[in-house]
């Protein structure tokens, strides 16, 4: 317990350990997490680790670390899965400081005069809810509507497996390699596909040594160590790696790329090998790779990013008490979108009619159009959000302001009256009412939301909230990014299947005054857009 206290205290105390280097911060992370960080480097753009990594736990994993909070570049953070045992995405959360953990520590100090001894990830992404344990009890980011969150994690694992099986059965986002057919069993190994167009990396900072070990060809043929090392150009004839590179943030790694393929006979089959790293404590880490011949390379895509125009104009409003509970995330989400349109109109960047969306009257809905919507709550903006609460018929569910999905369209008249006759509200949701109640995520709803972003419209998305089966949270999506990742599964290193998985992340303005804004997995059960 006291060791956890020390780790968290060091991580959240500003200035105390500013002289520590990124290399020293890396030394606190397990190899698997460093490997993940290296894989994510292309879009995290880590230049320097600027805070001690903080372990995050999960109720269903007991004392095993589930995630790590990484602070970098002085003002950014990411929550990264600690390994395959979580069954979760590699990147769970990415955003600007302050991190949700810093906010929790502040709340624990204010409410209990206490320090967080450890942090917990209570609910799966994208509907994350975080907590910290103190000597005086648990402090949660938001009230949970379930007492036992362990079943939520089991449900997440089942859903991921079901999704994986569905895509495999339908052939969606996957294709066969080498025409060998499909086989399953205990002898199946997953290999990371590399080529001249998509190199890979293997972190080696702090290792005693590192070797390349050939595994054979994808048709079962033999391949020598000398041939693999000649192909990669990073190891000697005994397979010992002697060529390293270094990332800006301090990680030392082996760069794996077929750079000498032209010196070898034409490769018709994949070359399989693994990198074996020997740790100073006697441990061993391995990772398997498949080199795809250049004449049949299919490039893994880099991240493609899509954003609304002038994303920085999106406001971050906060909830407040109204009519016996919080004003509600539904009216607040619409207020953020209308505020965004109003600010762009005043700046000459959007339709001039948008300047009428926020006015100079007491509640922002009447008076002349010269007043511009604020980026944060003001008295007038709070009155404006309260007005939208009335229009949407938001009601109290405990201390939470809840809005039925079907009621989210009720702002159309308000929007059209101020924006113009061409304005309308488009909603995408589950057609079956029971699925709406349980907030069932659907790829078709996500795809519609992504299409709206490509058209430059911000989107209100509905995600599950706080673990409650019937509860939901509306946030505003302003950006998304996507890429394809290729892996290969081989049985006995002969029967191989290439799996192409497309990943989607969305950037959410959560409606909590900017706290917890950031990137999360793009899953949603509702999407709505205001067009003009």
């Amino acid at each position: 317990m006291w060791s956890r206290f020390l780790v968290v205290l060091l991580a959240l105390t500003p200035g105390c350990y500013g002289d520590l280097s990124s290399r020293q911060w890396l030394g606190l992370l397990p190899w698997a997490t460093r490997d993940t960080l290296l894989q994510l480097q292309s879009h995290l753009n880590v230049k320097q680790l600027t805070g001690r990594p903080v372990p995050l736990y999960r109720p269903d994993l007991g004392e095993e670390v589930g995630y790590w909070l990484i602070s970098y570049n002085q003002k950014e953070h990411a929550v990264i899965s600690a390994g395959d045992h979580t069954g979760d995405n590699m990147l769970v959360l990415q955003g600007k400081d302050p991190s949700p953990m810093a906010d929790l520590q502040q709340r624990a100090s204010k409410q209990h005069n206490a320090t967080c001894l450890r942090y917990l990830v209570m609910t799966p992404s994208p509907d994350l809810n975080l907590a910290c344990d103190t000597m005086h009890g648990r402090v949660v980011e938001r009230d949970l509507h379930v007492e036992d969150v362990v079943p939520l994690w089991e449900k997440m694992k089942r859903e991921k497996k079901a999704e994986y099986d569905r895509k495999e059965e339908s052939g969606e986002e996957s294709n066969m390699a080498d025409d060998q057919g499909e086989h399953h069993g205990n002898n199946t190994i997953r290999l990371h596909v590399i080529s001249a167009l998509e190199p890979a990396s293997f972190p080696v900072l702090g290792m005693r040594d590192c070797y390349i070990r050939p595994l054979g060809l994808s048709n079962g043929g033999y391949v020598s160590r000398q041939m693999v090392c000649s192909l990669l150009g990073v190891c000697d004839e005994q397979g010992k790696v002697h060529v390293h590179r270094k990332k800006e943030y301090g990680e030392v790694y082996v760069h794996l790329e077929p750079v000498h393929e032209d010196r070898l006979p034409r490769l018709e089959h994949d070359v399989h090998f693994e990198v074996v790293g020997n740790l100073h404590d006697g441990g061993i880490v391995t990772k398997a790779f498949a080199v795809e011949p250049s004449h049949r390379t299919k490039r893994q895509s880099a991240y493609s990013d899509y954003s609304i125009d002038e994303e920085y104009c999106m406001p971050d409003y906060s909830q407040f008490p109204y009519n016996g509970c919080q004003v509600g995330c539904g009216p607040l989400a619409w207020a953020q979108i209308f505020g965004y349109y109003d600010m762009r109109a005043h700046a000459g960047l959007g339709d001039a009619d948008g300047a009428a969306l926020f006015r100079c009257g007491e509640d922002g809905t009447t008076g002349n159009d010269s007043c511009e919507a604020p980026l944060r709550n003001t008295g007038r903006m709070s009155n404006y959000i309260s007005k939208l609460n009335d229009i949407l018929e938001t009601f109290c569910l405990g201390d939470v302001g809840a809005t039925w999905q079907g009621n989210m369209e009720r702002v159309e008249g308000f929007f059209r009256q101020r924006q113009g006759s061409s304005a309308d509200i488009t909603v995408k949701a589950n057609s079956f009412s029971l699925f709406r109640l349980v907030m069932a995520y659907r790829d078709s709803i996500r795809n519609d939301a992504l299409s709206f972003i490509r058209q430059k419209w911000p989107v209100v998305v509905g995600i599950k909230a706080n673990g409650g089966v019937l509860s939901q949270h509306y946030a505003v999506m302003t950006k998304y990014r996507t890429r394809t990742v290729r892996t290969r599964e081989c049985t006995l290193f002969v029967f191989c299947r290439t799996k192409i998985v497309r990943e989607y992340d969305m950037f959410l303005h959560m409606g909590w005054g900017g706290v917890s804004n950031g990137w999360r997995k793009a899953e949603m059960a509702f999407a709505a857009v205001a067009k003009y």
Side-chain angles (χ1 to χ4, degrees):
M1 179 66 78
W2 288 110
S3 62
R4 290 181 191 150
F5 172 82
L6 182 61
V7 167
V8 173
L9 184 63
L10 291 175
L12 297 178
T13 303
C16 293
Y17 290 83
D19 60 332
L20 287 182
S21 66
S22 288
R23 185 185 182 99
Q24 289 170 298
W25 294 138
L26 284 168
L28 300 174
L29 294 171
W31 182 87
T33 305
R34 285 171 38 212
D35 182 44
T36 297
L37 185 60
L38 194 58
Q39 293 180 56
L40 295 171
Q41 165 64 10
S42 62
H43 69 280
L44 289 180
N45 192 28
V46 180
K47 295 181 172 62
Q48 181 187 19
L49 300 185
T50 50
R52 183 179 293 266
V54 179
L56 279 65
Y57 297 84
R58 220 168 72 180
D60 64 318
L61 296 178
E63 297 302 306
E64 189 171 15
V65 176
Y67 308 89
W68 287 88
L69 169 69
I70 310 296
S71 299
Y72 62 97
N73 298 355
Q74 300 295 341
K75 59 182 180 179
E76 299 178 81
H77 64 268
V79 174
I80 296 175
S81 173
D84 293 339
H85 63 282
T86 66
D88 210 344
N89 307 304
M90 289 193 304
L91 180 62
V92 175
L93 177 67
Q94 178 194 352
K96 301 287 187 182
D97 288 342
S99 71
M101 275 57 72
D103 183 62
L104 274 173
Q105 174 56 60
Q106 186 177 34
R107 291 179 55 193
S109 178
K110 183 181 297 184
Q111 294 176 14
H112 303 292
N113 193 27
T115 296
C116 292
L117 302 179
R118 74 168 182 171
Y119 293 95
L120 299 99
V121 181
M122 302 298 288
T123 53
S125 177
D127 40 300
L128 285 171
N129 196 344
L130 304 165
C132 76
D133 286 336
T134 76
M135 295 287 286
H136 306 285
R138 179 166 292 174
V139 178
V140 294
E141 190 176 20
R142 286 166 300 283
D143 290 337
L144 287 165
H145 298 303
V146 293
E147 293 184 3
D148 185 5
V149 299
V150 172
L152 293 175
W153 295 105
E154 296 303 320
K155 182 173 182 288
M156 178 202 75
K157 292 177 182 178
R158 290 195 303 270
E159 288 177 345
K160 285 185 179 292
K161 184 179 185 305
E163 180 183 10
Y164 181 87
D165 292 343
R166 176 182 62 79
K167 288 185 176 181
E168 200 168 66
E169 289 173 5
S170 65
E172 179 185 351
E173 297 286 9
S174 66
N175 65 284
M176 298 297 292
D178 296 335
D179 299 321
Q180 295 292 339
E182 181 182 359
H183 294 257
H184 298 281
N186 295 331
N187 294 318
T188 298
I189 186 172
R190 176 172 293 180
L191 303 105
H192 298 261
V193 180
I194 65 173
S195 68
L197 294 176
E198 47 179 333
S201 304
F202 185 92
V204 296
L205 180 66
M207 287 185 179
R208 287 192 292 110
D209 49 43
C210 184
Y211 287 86
I212 301 291
R213 188 170 79 89
L215 299 175
L217 298 174
S218 57
N219 68 341
Y222 170 77
V223 61
S224 69
R225 180 180 286 109
Q226 290 82 357
M227 186 269 195
V228 176
C229 287
S230 177
L231 176 64
L232 300 173
V234 296
C235 47
D236 59 26
E237 292 186 354
Q238 285 71 47
K240 185 173 182 178
V241 174
H242 57 76
V243 177
H244 305 96
R245 297 187 183 185
K246 186 176 180 180
K247 284 291 184 183
E248 190 174 3
Y249 66 92
E251 182 63 80
V252 180
Y253 66 100
V254 182
H255 181 80
L256 300 169
E257 177 185 356
V259 293
H260 295 150
E261 189 174 350
D262 57 333
R263 300 182 186 176
L264 303 172
R266 179 181 171 91
L267 296 174
E268 296 296 339
H269 303 282
D270 296 347
V271 177
H272 294 171
F273 70 93
E274 67 179 357
V275 184
V276 181
N278 295 304
L279 306 177
H280 282 293
D281 62 5
I284 298 175
V285 293
T286 63
K287 191 171 182 179
F289 299 89
V291 178
E292 189 173 60
S294 60
H295 62 276
R296 53 182 191 82
T297 293
K298 295 179 181 178
R299 182 176 176 83
Q300 169 179 305
S301 69
Y303 269 96
S304 298
D305 296 271
Y306 302 87
S307 174
I308 63 173
D309 292 330
E310 291 81 44
E311 199 272 346
Y312 57 85
C313 287
M314 180 58 63
D316 285 308
Y317 301 141
S318 302
Q319 294 201 44
F320 51 88
Y322 180 68
N323 282 347
C325 60
Q326 294 297 301
V327 71
C329 53
L332 193 142
W334 281 128
Q336 291 190 150
I337 287 181
F338 297 158
Y340 165 77
Y341 290 161
D342 183 88
M343 279 186 281
R344 292 188 72 245
H346 278 280
L349 298 170
D351 190 327
D353 289 339
L357 283 167
F358 186 78
R359 298 177 177 179
C360 296
E362 185 177 355
D363 64 2
T365 66
T366 60
N368 67 65
D369 303 344
S370 63
C371 293
E372 182 178 340
L375 280 170
R376 296 289 189 272
N377 285 53
T378 61
R380 184 181 290 129
M381 177 49 70
S382 294
N383 292 337
Y384 186 90
I385 297 170
S386 300
K387 177 74 173 180
L388 294 177
N389 170 290
D390 296 338
I391 293 172
L392 296 174
E393 296 186 1
T394 299
F395 60 96
C396 290
L397 187 63
D399 62 350
V400 175
T403 307
W404 294 113
Q405 288 186 8
N407 284 14
M408 289 292 282
E409 293 181 83
R410 294 192 175 199
V411 297
E412 185 170 68
F414 174 92
F415 180 48
R416 184 172 294 158
Q417 184 180 8
R418 290 157 178 80
Q419 181 69 53
S421 59
S422 63
D424 81 307
I425 302 292
T426 301
V427 167
K428 302 292 182 178
N430 285 291
S431 56
F432 186 36
S433 58
L434 177 61
F435 287 164
R436 289 193 181 194
L437 282 174
V438 299
M439 293 295 290
Y441 293 151
R442 289 288 180 270
D443 287 352
S444 59
I445 298 173
R446 177 205 64 201
N447 294 340
D448 286 330
L450 304 184
S451 175
F452 293 146
I453 293 292
R454 291 195 297 273
Q455 297 169 50
K456 305 299 185 180
W457 303 112
V459 186
V460 177
V461 299
I463 60 177
K464 301 168 191 172
N466 309 334
V469 175
L470 302 180
S471 60
Q472 61 188 321
H473 179 69
Y474 297 110
V476 178
M477 178 171 66
T478 58
K479 297 186 283 189
Y480 84 88
R481 63 190 180 197
T482 180
R483 70 168 179 171
T484 56
V485 177
R486 296 195 301 140
T487 60
R488 184 157 300 161
E489 290 186 354
C490 295
T491 303
L492 302 175
F493 299 104
V494 178
F495 305 106
C496 299
R497 183 182 183 89
T498 299
K499 298 189 180 298
I500 304 174
V501 178
R502 180 164 290 279
E503 298 177 344
Y504 297 94
D505 297 327
M506 59 182 174
F507 189 92
L508 296 184
H509 288 255
M510 297 299 291
W512 300 320
V515 175
S516 293
N517 289 358
W519 293 98
R520 306 177 184 214
K521 185 179 180 183
E523 291 183 325
M524 63 203 69
F526 173 91
V529 65
K531 296 182 177 180
Y532 53 80

